[in-house]
Amino acid sequence: MLSLSSCPDAVLLNVWQHLLGDLHTHIALAQTCRRLRHLYEQDDAIWQSVCFTAGFGRPVRRGLPPPQPDAIASFKQLAYTLVGHASICEIKSCNKANLCFADHYGRWTYTRTRALHPNHALEFHPLYYYLHFSQAQPSSHSRHAHAIQPHTPTPSPSPSPSPQPASVPDAVSILLTHLPTFPECRYAQYGPLCAHPNASCAFATFPPVDRLEFENGAGDVFMIVENPEGCTVLDVNRALAELIPFDDQHLEFALAHYQELAFTSGLSLPQFADVISRDRGFLGDHEYPFLQHIVAHM
């Protein structure tokens, strides 16, 4: 009787191609026997293809600080991390991050980003709006105070569906995705976003692209996001965070947030800062906004 261990590599790789996009099944297959484990683990490009066709990419890692030993380094690690996190995360938009595009991904015939026609339509992932735009209808005063840009950004190469005209990227909403949360809320809130790999690694657009240019209402490019493996939600999130003004308003907001968490934990603010600064997310590179400045000036 023919067994998996005696099948030619070409046959086993053909089986793998029929499982593209199904991370759980692919991981289970890779663990079936030593032969399959060796075949599927010797080439990380296989795992990249599986992640890609499931709608996930690997965000660009920041150069500093140095990566932690458990930081994601390969697509195989990423696949295992995504499956593991989906089983414990309480946020549906994270553990089912690509449910909205499942039909699209199921019809894909390619496993890497590819050049698109300039007029090819792009659709933003719903998380782009949920994480970066105020969920409440703000007053004209608060819009002026918190908005990063006075116009809804439009990605290149083509426009995508936009939120309501009054909605603009909200600096406080973006800031909250970079701040920590209470330990018991870790799997129930995006605090920070990089603690949730499934939401972070979801491609920011469908289809995925390796470069996004954001324009304001005057047609001027104010932000460029690049990732040769496909721009992810976390790539866009971090680019938007870099636009948050370093001013008293946002500094005070972050300080109040840190003070509340420190008080609840029973630690002083410097002690609390030391504890949370060790948690740098699944890429091992997260830096908490304003934290070093706050501690340095205490």
Side-chain angles (χ1 to χ4, degrees):
M1 179 181 293
L2 185 66
S3 64
L4 285 174
S5 60
S6 61
C7 287
D9 288 355
V11 173
L12 296 178
L13 289 174
N14 187 56
V15 172
W16 159 78
Q17 289 197 0
H18 287 281
L19 299 177
L20 285 176
D22 190 335
L23 291 176
H24 292 79
T25 303
H26 185 78
I27 288 175
L29 181 65
Q31 296 173 335
T32 303
C33 64
R34 293 181 181 177
R35 170 79 189 290
L36 285 172
R37 184 166 62 249
H38 174 73
L39 177 63
Y40 291 151
E41 293 184 359
Q42 64 183 349
D43 186 0
D44 201 47
I46 289 178
W47 292 94
Q48 181 179 1
S49 298
V50 173
C51 291
F52 186 92
T53 51
F56 297 106
R58 182 170 54 184
V60 174
R61 190 186 177 281
R62 291 169 170 165
L64 294 174
Q68 294 175 318
D70 58 348
I72 299 300
S74 68
F75 277 97
K76 175 196 167 185
Q77 289 177 294
L78 180 61
Y80 276 82
T81 299
L82 293 171
V83 170
H85 184 76
S87 67
I88 59 176
C89 185
E90 301 173 24
I91 309 174
K92 187 175 181 180
S93 60
C94 182
N95 60 45
K96 302 287 186 183
N98 286 317
L99 185 62
C100 55
F101 292 139
D103 291 341
H104 296 1
Y105 292 135
R107 295 193 294 269
W108 275 11
T109 58
Y110 55 98
T111 59
R112 298 290 188 277
T113 57
R114 60 181 183 179
L116 300 178
H117 188 277
N119 293 326
H120 194 294
L122 288 181
E123 184 175 356
F124 264 126
H125 195 290
L127 278 170
Y128 166 73
Y129 299 116
Y130 177 75
L131 296 171
H132 307 133
F133 292 78
S134 175
Q135 301 303 303
Q137 199 68 268
S139 66
S140 58
H141 173 74
S142 61
R143 284 203 304 271
H144 177 74
H146 298 314
I148 288 177
Q149 288 289 326
H151 303 283
T152 298
T154 300
S156 175
S158 60
S160 69
S162 300
Q164 295 299 316
S167 298
V168 293
D170 180 74
V172 170
S173 296
I174 297 166
L175 183 58
L176 283 170
T177 65
H178 287 253
L179 296 174
T181 188
F182 297 99
E184 62 272 19
C185 300
R186 181 176 177 83
Y187 296 111
Q189 296 179 2
Y190 289 120
L193 173 61
C194 67
H196 295 269
N198 300 53
S200 297
C201 295
F203 287 122
T205 61
F206 184 87
V209 292
D210 58 11
R211 178 184 172 92
L212 286 168
E213 294 183 357
F214 290 78
E215 301 175 352
N216 60 22
D220 300 322
V221 175
F222 68 88
M223 185 176 80
I224 297 175
V225 181
E226 293 182 298
N227 183 337
E229 298 170 348
C231 297
T232 65
V233 170
L234 185 60
D235 290 322
V236 175
N237 171 260
R238 287 179 165 179
L240 286 169
E242 291 178 359
L243 301 179
I244 297 176
F246 193 103
D247 56 21
D248 290 342
Q249 177 188 357
H250 297 101
L251 181 61
E252 290 171 4
F253 180 88
L255 174 60
H257 187 88
Y258 291 130
Q259 286 177 328
E260 181 180 6
L261 293 178
F263 177 79
T264 304
S265 68
L267 301 173
S268 67
L269 188 53
Q271 290 173 326
F272 177 75
D274 180 63
V275 170
I276 65 168
S277 62
R278 301 173 192 169
D279 184 1
R280 295 174 175 172
F282 71 99
L283 291 175
D285 66 344
H286 182 63
E287 294 181 324
Y288 293 93
F290 304 109
L291 186 59
Q292 292 183 353
H293 176 84
I294 290 173
V295 173
H297 287 80
M298 290 188 64

